[in-house]
Structures are given as C-alpha cells and as structure tokens.
Amino acid sequence: MLYGTGVSHQCGNCEWRIWSDFKTMTVKLTTQAYCKMLLHAAKYPHCAVNGLLVAERQRERRRDGHGVPVLYVDCVPLFHGTLALAPMLEVALNLIDTWCKENRYVIAGYYQANERIKDFRPNQVAEKVAARISENFSEATLIVVDNSKFTMDCYEPILTIFEHHENKWKCRDSTGDCCEDWVEAQKITAALLESRSYENLIDFDNHLDDLRNDWTNPEINKSVLHLC
Amino acid sequence: MSSLSAEMRDKLRKWREENYRNSEQIVDVGEELINEHASKLGDDIWIIYEQVMIAALDCSRDDLALSCLQELKRQFPDSHRVKRLVGMRLEALERYEDANKLYDSILQDDPTNTAARKRKIAILKAQGKSTEAIRELNEYLEQFVGDLEAWHELSELYINEHDYAKAAFCLEELMMTNPHNHLYCEQYAEVKYTQGGLENLELSRKYFAQALKLNNRNMRALFGLYMSASHIAASPKVSAKVKKDNVKYAAWAATQINRAYQVRERAVGTKSPLI
C-alpha cells in the first residue's frame, strides 16, 4: 500500500490512482456522540457552542496508513456564548480528563458550532483547544458544525472535519459520512430534535451554574438507547 | 382573570424582565395567550405582542411575527418603537440594507434614539464586521457612557477578537458603576487570567476572591481562585512567601470545591467526577 497523497500509476493502457486513506474516514462517531453534539447546538441557536469528543483508550494505536478509524463514543458539551476565555476551559479539561481516566476514555477531539450561520471555519479558539488535545492524542480532529445545513430532519451529515497536517488544520473531504451508523444517527437525532430534548441537554456552563446539572447527560444517553 | 392565563402572563413577564432568550417557549406561551386570552390582557397585550414578535423572529415564525407587527402598527401607527420592530423583521429576512435605511430614517427624526443605533451595530455583528461593530459601539459609548448593556456587549466583542486588554477596560467600567455585581468581578478575573502573565494572574486571583466575597456560591469564582492561586504558586518567579500564600489559597479553594461537590452528591444521590 502506498501512503501519502494520490499517486497515479500507469499500468498498461489503464491508469489508476492509488489514494491513501485520504478518501476513507479516519473518524467515526457513535449515534450518542453525534446526537449530543447537535442537541447542544440546537439548544443555543443564537450562540457559539463547543465541546469535547472522547474515544475509548487503547493501549497502543497502530501507526500504519490504513489504521482503524478513531471512534468517538461520547461527547461532552462545554460552553455556549463566549468561548474565548481560559480559566473555565482549563477546569473543564481537568475534570473531564479525570472522568475519562476513570472510564477508560481519552479526550480525542473537539467540536464547535459558530455563532453565525454562514461561519463554518475553525477560529483561533478552536485551533488552540484542538492543538492542546493533540498533545495528548496525536490523531485529534477538530469538527465544525455547518450551521447552514442544520435542519430538523437531519437529512445530511453536517460536520466538517479538520485534521492537523504540516502545522495547519486542513479540511478533510466531507463527502463520506462520519457516523458509525448514519441511518440510526439520523433517525434518532431527528426524533430528539422534534421532541425538544435539547432543552434538557447539560453543558459544562450549566454545571458551573448549578453543580447538580450533570454534564455526562445520563438522561439523554438513556433516550438515545431507548430509540436504538 | 383565569389562573391559567395569569400564570402564562407571569411567565412572559418574568422572561421579559430577566431578558431570557428562550424564544421557543415564549412563542408557545405567547401565541396561546394572544389567541385564546387576548381579552383578558388589557394594555399588557401590546408589550406581549412586542415580546412574542421578537421571539417569533428567532424561531423563523414570520407568520406570527407579521400578525403581531400588524396589531402593533394599527395601534401605534407613528411609533419609532414599532418601526424598530419592522427593522428587526427585515434583519431576520437578511434584508440588511432595507433595515439600515429604516433605522437611518428613525435617527434622522430622532438622533438620540439608542435602539436604532444598537440595531445598526447588531447588523454589523451579523455580517461578521466585528471591527466596524466595535468602532461604532465605541462611538456610541462616548455619547451614552452610562449604558451598561452596551459596555457589556463591547467587552464580549473584544473578547471574541482576543483583545483582552480592551475587554478588561470595559469590565472595569462596569465594576466601577456596579461594585456589588459578582458576575462582573468574576468575568473581569477570567479576562485577566486569559491575558496571562504573573501580574494579571495575581489580579485575577484577587478578583475571583472578590467575586466570591460578593457571592459565596459562585462556582466559577471558586474554581478560578483555585486555578489562579495554583498557577501563581507554581511560578518560578515568585518569592517563597508569595508561593506559600498561594498554596494556602489554593488549598482552601480545593476544600471548598470538594465540599460543594459533596453537598451536590447528597442532593443528587450519585457520585460526581471530582478533582
């Protein structure tokens, strides 16, 4: 297998391109992770929101080109509104990291939905947090929600995935879908949006307002399971 | 008045007074109130039309927004306040040029109309023109120096542009006029912390402590005190005494945080992630 960007080969009269896994998704999301991310964005349509994505901790990841995709099994919604302040972000990263260790997870990604509909590029905050996460998890990705495609029916996946290449965050070809089971994710997310479950979604900001608010969102996790 | 409509009316009033942006709920409650109980509302109905109209714009319910607007236009035909609502609807439809023309006409009639000026700044924000929005808001504040909401908006704009020094300045204005507001203190501390550097960290620790004094249940202030004191204690640039003091502050904060989580555990019944 050849790695790196597309290389074309000539074989007799035919030419075929061998791509590395640039075309295959190196990131997948479970329904629970996808759902909670969208519910967070739906709860605060007038704000920027952000959060973390966690994967199961594996003792060693194979470093060959056609590795197994990173599977984001859960998402922890962080803040809404002003995202560019440091102290609470640090608190959140510490607490969530501890929780991850207790649950054999690792913080492996970051998502953000910007304030304005047509704004789908990662900004300085996104890049900084994602870089921080990469220090601990080299294959961390940065996901930006494309607000303009966000509908109640969830007809299409609305995530843009950025990966770190040569010191820049580069957008991955987003024609593939990034969910473990897209049909299930679409169905369940649409159902939860319809029933306004986002009103009960808890992010870290809500937790800081009242410690009884649980940012692991057990109730929503249960709803997702019930609908599976 | 029936208790149901009184309850709905009270809800709307609470959301209005506390400036909540729970637009879906406002539309749910407000639409029912207007459709079923209009006769019981008296003069309140006009302010409710306004509140519901704005919430309807947030929910893309142009039908509802228009019908509220029509009632208001009929009742207050020459009102600038209603004209501003017409402008907001144009903004929701992304007809920014038309909206700006409308606001300009209000300002020609009444140059002191703050609402129209703020909408123009909101349009700049919506278009992603942060630099212009900041400039216009600064100009506005030169004239209307006591407008707290505007100072707060400006601090947020600066934070989003990562201009923490100017954001801090805005929050200083707010703290000066509202020395008992723990939220301003706490936000100021967060900005100082983000700015970084030993001096700013020490300032941030002081203001987190101040916020905590004003409201001992402000968890952000408590966490902030812990983080800032810990960072100062860990800095190689501080004297032994400063280090010792900050270790003490951090330890105190940690105990308070753990205590808060224990209280929470008893209340909720489940273990929570601790530091």
Side-chain angles (χ1 to χ4, degrees), chain B residues 133-181:
Chain B
I134 288 177
R135 190 189 54 221
E136 293 295 317
L137 194 41
N138 268 303
E139 270 180 44
Y140 170 87
L141 280 165
E142 276 170 29
Q143 234 187 306
F144 299 98
V145 99
D147 189 331
L148 302 178
E149 177 189 75
W151 280 111
H152 202 254
E153 179 68 38
L154 185 56
S155 79
E156 275 182 23
L157 288 175
Y158 277 130
I159 290 171
N160 288 334
E161 296 302 302
H162 306 285
D163 193 339
Y164 299 110
K166 298 221 179 86
F169 177 78
C170 298
L171 286 162
E172 282 162 12
E173 285 290 328
L174 286 166
M175 287 193 298
M176 248 193 332
T177 43
N178 299 265
H180 300 293
N181 185 316

Side-chain angles (χ1 to χ4, degrees), chain A residues 48-50 81-84 110-115 119-131 142-144 162 169, chain B residues 159-162:
Chain A
V49 300
N50 66 358
T82 310
L83 306 181
Y110 170 86
Y111 73 85
Q112 186 166 309
N114 289 322
E115 188 180 4
D119 195 357
F120 51 80
R121 300 221 53 100
N123 58 11
Q124 204 181 109
V125 175
E127 295 191 357
K128 270 203 175 133
V129 184
L142 189 172
I143 297 186
V144 180
F162 292 80
W169 288 95
Chain B
I159 290 171
N160 288 334
E161 296 302 302
H162 306 285

Side-chain angles (χ1 to χ4, degrees), chain A residues 50 78-79 83 85-94 110 125 129:
Chain A
N50 66 358
L78 287 179
F79 304 111
L83 306 181
L85 291 174
M88 298 307 125
L89 175 61
E90 271 184 52
V91 172
L93 286 171
N94 284 334
Y110 170 86
V125 175
V129 184

Side-chain angles (χ1 to χ4, degrees), chain A residues 17-214:
Chain A
R17 273 228 169 107
I18 299 176
W19 296 93
S20 73
D21 39 31
F22 229 61
K23 276 277 185 193
T24 60
M25 278 292 164
T26 55
V27 149
K28 288 273 172 193
L29 286 95
T30 59
T31 296
Q32 181 170 299
Y34 185 77
C35 213
K36 280 155 75 171
M37 208 179 354
L38 264 63
L39 288 178
H40 192 205
K43 186 180 182 186
Y44 299 106
H46 56 288
C47 292
V49 300
N50 66 358
L52 301 175
L53 292 156
V54 303
E56 282 177 349
R57 177 183 293 280
Q58 292 167 326
R59 281 218 281 147
E60 44 190 69
R61 287 195 49 79
R62 296 173 52 215
R63 293 215 171 270
D64 48 7
H66 43 192
V68 176
V70 174
L71 179 64
Y72 291 139
V73 297
D74 205 355
C75 118
V76 180
L78 287 179
F79 304 111
H80 56 270
T82 310
L83 306 181
L85 291 174
M88 298 307 125
L89 175 61
E90 271 184 52
V91 172
L93 286 171
N94 284 334
L95 283 184
I96 293 163
D97 195 53
T98 305
W99 172 77
C100 278
K101 291 194 166 82
E102 291 168 4
N103 289 280
R104 305 279 216 66
Y105 289 152
V106 64
I107 298 177
Y110 170 86
Y111 73 85
Q112 186 166 309
N114 289 322
E115 188 180 4
R116 293 181 306 114
I117 293 192
K118 299 186 185 145
D119 195 357
F120 51 80
R121 300 221 53 100
N123 58 11
Q124 204 181 109
V125 175
E127 295 191 357
K128 270 203 175 133
V129 184
R132 179 90 171 259
I133 295 173
S134 308
E135 285 170 16
N136 215 21
F137 189 84
S138 56
E139 289 150 304
T141 63
L142 189 172
I143 297 186
V144 180
V145 177
D146 187 344
N147 297 318
S148 65
K149 295 198 191 138
F150 198 167
T151 63
M152 290 294 282
D153 305 308
C154 306
Y155 279 140
E156 42 178 334
I158 62 175
L159 307 180
T160 315
I161 300 180
F162 292 80
E163 290 173 344
H164 212 206
H165 282 295
E166 294 149 22
N167 264 328
K168 292 208 202 93
W169 288 95
K170 296 212 179 119
C171 174
R172 182 161 249 289
D173 173 19
S174 53
T175 52
D177 80 72
C178 47
C179 287
E180 210 184 11
D181 181 342
W182 168 244
V183 172
E184 179 189 82
Q186 185 258 330
K187 188 184 75 169
I188 293 181
T189 307
L192 291 180
L193 285 173
E194 183 66 44
S195 62
R196 298 206 194 165
S197 297
Y198 45 81
E199 288 173 4
N200 304 320
L201 181 103
I202 300 296
D203 65 10
F204 202 76
D205 259 332
N206 302 139
H207 177 73
L208 290 171
D209 290 335
D210 183 336
L211 291 188
R212 290 168 296 182
N213 290 328
D214 188 346

